[in-house]
Amino acid sequence: PAASLLYPYGLDQADHKNPKLDDGTSEKISLTVPFTFYGKKHQNLYVNNNGVISFDSRVKQYTPDPLPLADGRSFVAPYWGDVDNVRGGDIFYRETTDPALLARITKNINQYFPKIPYTAKWAFVATWDHVAYYGSTTNKGNTFQATLTTDTETSFIILNYWDIQWTTGTASGGDPETGLGGTPAHAGFNSGDETNFYNIPSSQTEAIINITKTSNVNVPGRWVFQVDNFKVTGVPTEVPKVANSNNCFL
C-alpha cells in the first residue's frame, strides 16, 4: 500500500509534538547517538516548523534561500517553506531504537544501496502532518517526513513525500487561495561549509509540488542519501514537468 511510504508517526508512537507557533521550532534535542553529517558528528538538533531539521542552531527563516548558504548553518531541508501549524497540521518527532522500525529501515537501505553493508542501530523520525501554509485561506496541507539513521559509522537520510498540496506562503509571495507562486519551497541539504550542498531537482520552482512523483531510488515520493560523507545517488537528470491540472488527457 502507498501509505507504507511513511514510517509510523504520531502520539501513539510516543512522538513529541512541536508547539503551535508560526516560525516556531522544537526545543533543543540532545541525541543519544551522534549523527554524522558531511563529516561532522552532531549531538544536537532542532526540528523547525518551516520544514527544516537543523544541527546546532534553529532555523526560523520562512522564505528559502538557494543553497549553498554562506552563514555556516548546517541542515536538512525536506521541504523548506512557510509552514503555519497554527493554521493547521502538526509536526511530530522522536528518537527511536524500536527493533521493528530499524529492521524496516535496514531493509530499505539494503535495497537502495546493496553494495554498502548497513544495519540501522538508531533513527530519528520527524513528520510534518497536513501542515498549512502562512496566510492560507484554504484547508490545503502538506504531509512529508525526514528520517535520519545511522549504524554509528554510516549515516543516511530518507525523505518521504506523501501529500504535497502547496509550495509557498503569502509572506514569500504565494497566493492565499492556491498556496502557489512567489518563492516556492526548497528541498535539499546544506553542509555549513559553503562548499558541500545538494538541491533536489525542482527546488524553488513551481515543479516542487510534484516531488511526490520523483525519486532517486525508484520509489515515487522517496529520496535517500548517504550523508556521513555526502554522495549523490541515482539523481535524475531531467527536472520534473509541471502538469496543468485542468487538462484532460484522453
Side-chain angles (χ1 to χ4, degrees), residues 4 7 34 38 43-44 54 60 115 140 171 201 231 233:
S4 67
Y7 298 121
Y38 283 105
Q43 199 84 46
N44 304 295
S54 55
K60 296 188 176 185
K115 295 180 180 177
K140 283 187 172 187
K231 298 175 180 67
T233 302

Side-chain angles (χ1 to χ4, degrees), residues 44-232:
N44 304 295
L45 56 73
Y46 297 89
V47 177
N48 304 276
N49 288 5
N50 290 334
V52 174
I53 297 176
S54 55
F55 300 104
D56 303 322
S57 63
R58 292 178 167 89
V59 175
K60 296 188 176 185
Q61 182 178 334
Y62 53 83
T63 301
D65 283 325
L67 305 182
L69 304 182
D71 58 13
R73 283 182 291 175
S74 178
F75 61 75
V76 181
Y79 201 81
W80 185 11
D82 198 357
V83 170
D84 186 359
N85 67 340
V86 178
R87 177 73 183 80
D90 289 299
I91 296 132
F92 297 101
Y93 65 88
R94 75 183 180 283
E95 203 181 11
T96 181
T97 54
D98 173 62
L101 179 60
L102 293 183
R104 183 171 160 188
I105 291 171
T106 297
K107 182 180 178 183
N108 290 151
I109 297 296
N110 292 164
Q111 178 184 349
Y112 309 142
F113 299 85
K115 295 180 180 177
I116 301 174
Y118 186 78
T119 302
K121 293 185 178 177
W122 171 94
F124 183 90
V125 183
T127 310
W128 286 257
D129 181 46
H130 200 74
V131 289
Y133 56 93
Y134 181 80
S136 171
T137 58
T138 71
N139 62 356
K140 283 187 172 187
N142 287 347
T143 299
F144 56 94
Q145 186 179 71
T147 298
L148 285 57
T149 180
T150 184
D151 64 1
T152 71
E153 297 291 334
T154 308
S155 304
F156 289 93
I157 291 176
I158 302 166
L159 303 179
N160 293 322
Y161 300 93
W162 175 239
D163 188 21
I164 300 297
Q165 300 181 357
W166 61 265
T167 64
T168 322
T170 58
S172 307
D175 183 285
E177 291 185 15
T178 65
L180 305 175
T183 303
H186 197 103
F189 302 85
N190 197 66
S191 70
D193 64 10
E194 300 182 39
T195 303
N196 294 294
F197 66 97
Y198 180 68
N199 299 312
I200 288 181
S202 78
S203 285
Q204 283 191 266
T205 77
E206 59 184 355
I208 194 71
I209 198 145
N210 292 328
I211 199 167
T212 56
K213 302 181 179 112
T214 65
S215 177
N216 65 335
V217 292
N218 294 315
V219 180
R222 176 171 283 174
W223 288 77
V224 186
F225 302 93
Q226 182 183 348
V227 297
D228 47 288
N229 289 296
F230 186 69
K231 298 175 180 67
V232 176

